[in-house]
Amino acid sequence: MRSCLLAVLLLAGCNNGSPPDQDIETAPVAVETSAALSPGTVPVRIGEQGASFAACGIGGVVVAASAPVRAAPFEDATVTETLEQGRPLFVCTRSIDQRWLGIVAPAAETPQDGCGVTTPVPSRRGYDGPCLSGWVPAAAVRAGAR
């Protein structure tokens, strides 16, 4: 009796046939093809060097004619502002591929303001201070020690 039951279960599991058409319920599938993918926003992380160092320990200056500040380290990310040549900034982090720098830029009128990134922070976190932050192409910035 057990062998018959086992044989029936095995045969039932081997049924590769399609169910009858009347049992199949189909629904239209909406596919949105016109919407572009957006990388969204990636906050600039400060405190990458640890609690013993400044939140953004590297200074820099824009060397390109202008540098677009993007919301994420991607070419397709939204441009939030453009920095002019000679503008000082703080370099806080880099993208994995090293092509983008996560920066914090003081207002052009007060370039000596530290924006809260010249002192240590207890742990790594996204920048939420008063100054402009975002991602610029690494080729547009000359970085140096602060």
Side-chain angles (χ1 to χ4, degrees):
M1 176 83 161
R2 279 188 177 177
S3 61
C4 287
L5 182 57
L6 183 59
V8 168
L9 289 174
L10 287 173
L11 287 174
C14 294
N15 183 5
N16 291 332
S18 300
D21 287 340
Q22 66 269 18
D23 292 342
I24 297 176
E25 206 173 299
T26 59
V29 177
V31 177
E32 183 68 42
T33 57
S34 62
L37 295 176
S38 171
T41 299
V42 176
V44 171
R45 286 178 50 130
I46 62 173
E48 293 281 317
Q49 303 299 316
S52 297
F53 297 92
C56 297
I58 300 172
V61 64
V62 176
V63 293
S66 66
V69 179
R70 297 187 183 275
F74 306 100
E75 194 66 40
D76 294 336
T78 304
V79 174
T80 59
E81 194 162 320
T82 301
L83 299 177
E84 67 283 350
Q85 187 175 26
R87 177 84 176 264
L89 48 81
F90 297 94
V91 177
C92 305
T93 189
R94 293 178 180 264
S95 63
I96 292 172
D97 64 5
Q98 306 290 311
R99 292 180 30 191
W100 299 91
L101 300 176
I103 61 99
V104 171
E109 310 82 53
T110 57
Q112 300 305 316
D113 179 16
C115 299
V117 297
T118 57
T119 58
V121 292
S123 62
R124 295 177 181 143
R125 63 178 171 84
Y127 178 72
D128 60 357
C131 296
L132 170 69
S133 68
W135 298 87
V136 296
V141 174
R142 183 180 67 226
R146 275 209 86 74

